[in-house]
Amino acid sequence: LQARTTPCDRCPLGKTRTNLVFGEGNPNADIVFVGEAPGFEEDRQGRPFVGRAGQLLNDIITKGMGLRREEVYICNVLKCRPPQNRTPNPQEIIACSPYLLEQLRIIQPKVIIALGSPAAKTLLNTNESITRIRGRFFPFPFDERRPEAGSCQLMPTFHPAYLLRNPAEKSKVWEDIKTVLQYLGRPIPGRKKA
Ligand code: URA
């Protein structure tokens, strides 16, 4: 899929990007993180979440979940950086989201963690605000037209860039992460065994 995706000119961002940021990580991951779109550093390096928000995501994965970054898969709704990091527009999402949906169908994770509003709204096809929907699971079918393609659980939570601006909200993301770890039957770092 990555080879078929690159280069892409399905939307005008193809003209302004430096690199297409397809995503990276374990293709057999149980957990996939989906962000919004590449920023400056991601566009420069061609890798997702390698700037400041990426540092915080790394901490969430390693310190918060006790996992290595290589064990999960990380990608975005948009594969190319919107100028000045503006919010993705509907045309861009319509053009680009088939790539994301195909990625998820291939990886078949057990849990998708949707980081922030564009990821949650795109994947759940809703207009509900992230504040209202975060913290609980939603079923995510890998192919809406083919139930036999299977499904997984989707957890919406706040985006790490939002947490950098609003550190007091970190405890809510921690709650959401614990819910995911419990669902997967994984140990919760820092909690003593009973
Ligand atoms: N923010 C995102 O949503 N994705 C990235 O890859 C980096 C920052």
Side-chain angles (χ1 to χ4, degrees):
L1 177 63
Q2 183 163 9
R4 275 193 280 126
T5 307
T6 322
C8 173
D9 56 4
R10 285 191 190 178
C11 86
L13 298 182
K15 297 232 179 341
T16 53
R17 71 166 177 244
T18 310
N19 285 296
L20 185 150
V21 182
F22 182 75
E24 67 181 23
N26 177 3
N28 296 309
D30 281 351
I31 303 172
V32 174
F33 288 89
V34 180
E36 177 174 326
F40 176 84
E41 205 44 48
E42 290 77 20
D43 176 61
R44 197 176 71 80
Q45 296 189 34
R47 297 180 56 208
F49 282 96
V50 287
R52 272 185 74 220
Q55 279 297 327
L56 183 49
L57 180 60
N58 287 349
D59 284 348
I60 292 172
I61 294 167
T62 56
K63 297 182 189 152
M65 306 182 85
L67 296 168
R68 285 176 296 118
R69 183 170 155 125
E70 303 72 46
E71 289 179 84
V72 302
Y73 192 87
I74 304 174
C75 60
N76 287 298
V77 174
L78 293 194
K79 307 305 185 213
C80 297
R81 182 193 181 206
Q84 276 82 48
N85 299 348
R86 63 159 170 71
T87 304
N89 70 38
Q91 291 78 17
E92 290 157 357
I93 293 177
I94 289 168
C96 204
S97 56
Y99 291 137
L100 171 64
L101 298 178
E102 187 65 23
Q103 264 171 319
L104 296 170
R105 267 196 285 278
I106 291 170
I107 299 171
Q108 303 244 332
K110 294 188 175 136
V111 172
I112 298 167
I113 301 182
L115 300 168
S117 172
K121 288 182 177 172
T122 300
L123 291 171
L124 295 177
N125 213 352
T126 177
N127 260 326
E128 290 277 2
S129 80
I130 186 73
T131 310
R132 284 185 63 129
I133 58 176
R134 62 147 278 279
R136 58 202 156 95
F137 281 123
F138 293 81
F140 178 83
F142 290 121
D143 186 338
E144 281 200 319
R145 285 157 305 178
R146 290 193 317 119
E148 67 275 15
S151 66
C152 71
Q153 296 293 323
L154 187 146
M155 171 65 74
T157 195
F158 291 132
H159 192 287
Y162 171 80
L163 298 181
L164 290 173
R165 299 190 300 270
N166 302 277
E169 300 283 55
K170 281 185 185 173
S171 58
K172 293 188 181 142
V173 172
W174 173 228
E175 289 305 316
D176 303 348
I177 291 301
K178 275 195 291 190
T179 306
V180 169
L181 292 173
Q182 263 154 10
Y183 172 77
L184 292 172
R186 287 180 182 266
I188 296 176
R191 180 178 288 184
K192 293 215 173 62
K193 286 208 185 85

